[in-house]
Amino acid sequence: MLMNQAAAHIAPLTGMKQDEVLRLLEVPPQPEMGDAAFPCFILAKSLKKAPAVIATDIAAQLQTVGLDASPAGPYVNIRFNREDLAPKLLQELGHKTFGKLQLGAGARVVIDMSSPNIAKPFGIGHLRSTVIGAALYRLYNEAGYTSVSVNHLGDWGTQFGKQIAAYKRWGNDEALQAEPIRTSLELYVRFHDEAENDPSLEIEARDWFRKLEQGDEEAQRLWTFFVEVSMKEFNRMYERLNVQFDHTLGESFYNDKMGAVVEELKSKGLLEESEGALVVRLEDENMPPCLIIKTDGTTIYPTRDLATAVYRHDVMKADKMLYVVGGEQKLHFRQVFAVLSRMGYAWSEICEHIPFGLMRFEGRKMSTRRGKVVFLQEVLDEAVARALQIIQEKNPNLPNPQEVAEAVGVGAIVFGDLRNNRLNDVDFSLEDAVSFEGETGPYVQYTHARINSVLAKATEAGRVENENQLDYVSSSSSSSNNATANSENKPVMVGDTSWGLLKLLVDYPQYLEKAIHRNEPSVIAKYAIDVAQAFNRFYHAERIADAPADIKPFRVALTERTAERLAYSLYLLGVQAPERM
């Protein structure tokens, strides 16, 4: 907001557009240097002057429009009148519409997320797609889009032939009923171990999948059982993670829709035979052929994803499709999108793969085939147990410690993932994630709880003795309008730390916009950390609950707005914000 104002004043003096100036504006390294800095190097060639001379000229002209500007070598440093601006900015923060963007104008964004494989455990490796997708769902809604979340379950494919073959050879009904997911995993791992020395197992698995596609009764019975027990496990995890889906549609949902896609590919002359299989050639786009029908006549991932994309466009009315899937699937999605384009679908351009890096757990790489799976339930349970221990040490009289520990422990895992750039590989450390210090979820949550404690003390000290003093704080539309009229001409003494915090809160829409453009929830996670750190600097430097009467309403209002923004930032990430910890 403030940077936009600075850019608006600078642009006419440079011949540049306002958005170009905005991109160049920097935040000075030291607060005493000002609130914004404009580098003049870029103008040296066109104006045929040294950058320092240009900075002196621009600073002089900015003084005439009411900005406190001064040259600093090749930079123009700008200071805003914080005493006059602070009450107005605080009013903006109190409006219900603050931070609500209209980037999407109601456009429908279908987000493919989570998508675990049936008959496999919900491991820590499934966390990234789930929480990144859920965060993007909330972020897009916040920016004016209509988000639609789809859990594209891996409930079809040759893997089920392997699962059935393993069950038929080594399965134990009693063990399968007692612990269906762990037993299914053990069978799946054993299949791959045995298949290394017995190639007939792979043939047997393909035969079972072919039977499944053809509607074989026994194959269907076992497939239905694996789906039902898996969904019970998955739903327990989704409930703990506070993740919901608008649609849960597995790959099997598209079985009756793939035939039309294959026929369309044939009619358009796109399918070619290759060693007994049917493929779409993509060599001219520097990609290997996209396999559509395997040599045994069964379908494969690209076939189902083509049918899925058509369904999402035609039936779900998607204006944008996001696929939150690991980076190792980059080639697969390039192929699928390229085939859609060749089919004549101009809307293939609205499809976007949102890749993310590999998740390791304390140095261990996960592999379902090798049984190297870290169960997410066990990780969450351990995180909650550690959080409970810390909470009981910090606040032994907390009335609901188990409830708070659940919010903190689960939140620590979610935040611990989302604070990383999604493209980076993550070596997850449970100890680091649950720490109440550093750039962690518990640190942000604890800061939010501290703010609530400060506000409670302010109330006890008589904050509400004169409601008229708190015009800055009111968040109802009628009171807020009155507050604006009453406070616009009321300058306040604003300290460095409160000014820094206020500027950060006001900048929230810019962070949201950046998160959307980059499909990057870590932008909001890092923003929440920055706000928490800025509040703690403010808390230690300036009195709040017992501040002098003339400045107390402003500082209390600033504290309230900080609590709101922290809680909302955590909500966007899927993390709870307990009021007490």
Side-chain angles (χ1 to χ4, degrees):
M1 184 180 296
L2 292 175
M3 290 295 195
N4 277 320
Q5 291 181 23
H9 287 297
I10 293 172
L13 307 178
T14 62
M16 300 172 67
K17 295 180 180 179
Q18 183 175 331
D19 61 341
E20 294 175 328
V21 174
L22 186 61
R23 285 194 292 269
L24 291 172
L25 283 175
E26 302 173 13
V27 176
Q30 301 298 328
E32 58 270 18
M33 297 174 69
D35 301 304
F38 177 70
C40 298
F41 306 99
I42 195 171
L43 300 172
K45 185 175 181 180
S46 61
L47 297 181
K48 296 181 171 53
K49 292 182 182 179
V53 174
I54 297 171
T56 300
D57 293 342
I58 291 177
Q61 294 178 77
L62 287 175
Q63 294 285 358
T64 65
V65 295
L67 286 182
D68 182 3
S70 59
Y75 286 87
V76 179
N77 286 343
I78 299 168
R79 294 174 180 81
F80 298 104
N81 187 329
R82 63 175 72 172
E83 284 73 20
D84 287 335
L85 280 174
K88 300 173 186 177
L89 295 177
L90 203 54
Q91 283 296 321
E92 290 294 323
L93 290 174
H95 291 165
K96 291 182 179 180
T97 57
F98 175 77
K100 303 290 185 182
L101 303 182
Q102 288 302 317
L103 300 177
R108 291 174 66 82
V109 181
V110 175
I111 304 175
D112 181 318
M113 52 181 278
S114 194
S115 309
N117 287 327
I118 295 297
K120 307 294 188 300
F122 201 105
I124 190 73
H126 295 106
L127 184 70
R128 302 215 73 189
S129 175
T130 303
V131 299
I132 291 171
L136 290 176
Y137 179 91
R138 297 185 183 96
L139 288 169
Y140 271 90
N141 274 337
E142 181 77 353
Y145 291 85
T146 298
S147 299
V148 180
S149 57
V150 182
N151 192 357
H152 188 68
L153 293 172
D155 67 348
W156 208 248
T158 306
Q159 59 170 321
F160 284 98
K162 296 177 180 180
Q163 197 73 53
I164 294 171
Y167 168 78
K168 285 295 186 181
R169 286 209 178 194
W170 312 296
N172 180 298
D173 284 346
E174 186 176 335
L176 196 62
Q177 290 289 343
E179 287 193 283
I181 299 299
R182 288 184 184 272
T183 303
S184 297
L185 174 63
E186 291 169 1
L187 289 172
Y188 191 71
V189 171
R190 183 172 181 179
F191 177 94
H192 286 280
D193 288 343
E194 299 277 354
E196 290 182 1
N197 300 313
D198 184 359
S200 67
L201 273 172
E202 294 287 355
I203 298 173
E204 188 176 332
R206 287 194 292 271
D207 286 342
W208 271 112
F209 179 55
R210 185 166 53 249
K211 290 179 182 179
L212 183 60
E213 287 208 307
Q214 293 170 349
D216 178 82
E217 185 176 343
E218 176 65 1
Q220 287 282 341
R221 181 186 70 82
L222 290 171
W223 175 80
T224 300
F225 170 78
F226 288 131
V227 170
E228 289 176 350
V229 297
S230 297
M231 285 310 303
K232 288 181 182 178
E233 168 75 6
F234 297 161
N235 287 334
R236 286 195 303 110
M237 292 299 97
Y238 292 137
E239 184 176 355
R240 291 192 77 178
L241 293 171
N242 191 29
V243 173
Q244 296 86 33
F245 299 93
D246 296 311
H247 302 279
T248 297
L249 301 174
E251 294 177 54
S252 62
F253 176 79
Y254 303 96
N255 283 346
D256 61 352
K257 301 167 181 61
M258 288 186 286
V261 170
V262 174
E263 288 305 313
E264 184 176 351
L265 288 169
K266 288 180 179 177
S267 68
K268 292 180 176 177
L270 296 173
L271 274 187
E272 295 185 29
E273 186 175 341
S274 175
E275 299 180 1
L278 294 177
V279 303
V280 176
R281 299 278 182 191
L282 298 172
E283 284 87 344
D284 57 346
E285 296 189 45
N286 297 316
M287 285 185 280
C290 182
L291 181 60
I292 302 298
I293 300 293
K294 295 191 289 186
T295 55
D296 61 2
T298 58
T299 58
I300 194 169
Y301 293 118
T303 327
R304 294 188 281 278
D305 277 346
L306 289 169
T308 300
V310 172
Y311 180 85
R312 289 174 182 170
H313 177 267
D314 293 352
V315 180
M316 292 187 176
K317 305 300 180 183
D319 297 300
K320 188 178 183 72
M321 298 185 213
L322 304 182
Y323 294 79
V324 186
V325 183
E328 68 277 5
Q329 295 297 319
K330 180 179 179 180
L331 174 60
H332 165 76
F333 285 108
R334 284 183 61 212
Q335 289 179 310
V336 169
F337 301 160
V339 173
L340 286 171
S341 178
R342 293 196 173 198
M343 293 172 74
Y345 294 134
W347 53 261
S348 63
E349 296 183 358
I350 71 173
C351 301
E352 184 176 359
H353 177 209
I354 309 299
F356 52 84
L358 182 69
M359 168 73 83
R360 289 183 172 84
F361 188 75
E362 298 182 341
R364 289 176 287 170
K365 181 180 178 180
M366 273 67 77
S367 170
T368 306
R369 291 188 178 188
R370 297 301 178 190
K372 298 177 181 179
V373 177
V374 179
F375 283 68
L376 181 59
Q377 177 179 330
E378 295 175 357
V379 174
L380 295 179
D381 289 344
E382 177 64 21
V384 170
R386 294 191 185 196
L388 180 61
Q389 181 179 355
I390 297 172
I391 288 168
Q392 289 176 331
E393 291 172 358
K394 287 181 172 290
N395 190 354
N397 297 319
L398 190 68
N400 56 340
Q402 190 63 51
E403 179 183 335
V404 174
E406 177 75 11
V408 173
V410 174
I413 301 302
V414 174
F415 193 97
D417 186 329
L418 293 179
R419 74 180 179 86
N420 294 282
N421 184 301
R422 64 174 168 81
L423 291 174
N424 292 343
D425 290 346
V426 176
D427 190 358
F428 198 90
S429 166
L430 185 58
E431 182 177 354
D432 291 345
V434 183
S435 174
F436 278 51
E437 299 177 355
E439 297 182 351
T440 69
Y443 169 75
V444 177
Q445 290 172 312
Y446 191 69
T447 300
H448 177 264
R450 165 180 278 178
I451 292 173
N452 279 283
S453 176
V454 170
L455 292 172
K457 290 177 182 177
T459 299
E460 293 169 7
R463 179 175 65 88
V464 295
E465 287 181 2
N466 184 351
E467 292 291 343
N468 292 330
Q469 284 187 321
L470 297 180
D471 284 337
Y472 300 125
V473 193
S474 179
S475 57
S476 69
S477 59
S478 59
S479 297
S480 185
N481 291 336
N482 292 334
T484 300
N486 293 337
S487 64
E488 278 185 344
N489 297 317
K490 292 182 182 178
V492 292
M493 295 299 295
V494 182
D496 288 342
T497 57
S498 54
W499 179 239
L501 174 59
L502 178 58
K503 287 193 297 181
L504 188 57
L505 296 178
V506 168
D507 282 344
Y508 162 75
Q510 297 174 31
Y511 286 84
L512 175 61
E513 188 168 353
K514 183 188 296 184
I516 293 292
H517 286 319
R518 298 181 181 178
N519 289 304
E520 186 57 85
S522 69
V523 172
I524 299 299
K526 291 170 183 174
Y527 173 76
I529 292 169
D530 289 345
V531 170
Q533 293 173 338
F535 173 80
N536 283 314
R537 288 192 292 270
F538 164 57
Y539 172 78
H540 289 295
E542 303 181 41
R543 294 155 59 191
I544 302 171
D546 59 347
D550 59 337
I551 192 61
K552 179 177 176 179
F554 170 80
R555 290 182 182 172
V556 170
L558 178 60
T559 302
E560 288 186 337
R561 297 291 86 82
T562 305
E564 293 168 0
R565 191 50 47 196
L566 273 184
Y568 203 75
S569 296
L570 289 173
Y571 156 75
L572 291 174
L573 300 172
V575 177
Q576 295 184 52
E579 293 191 359
R580 295 181 62 189
M581 284 175 60

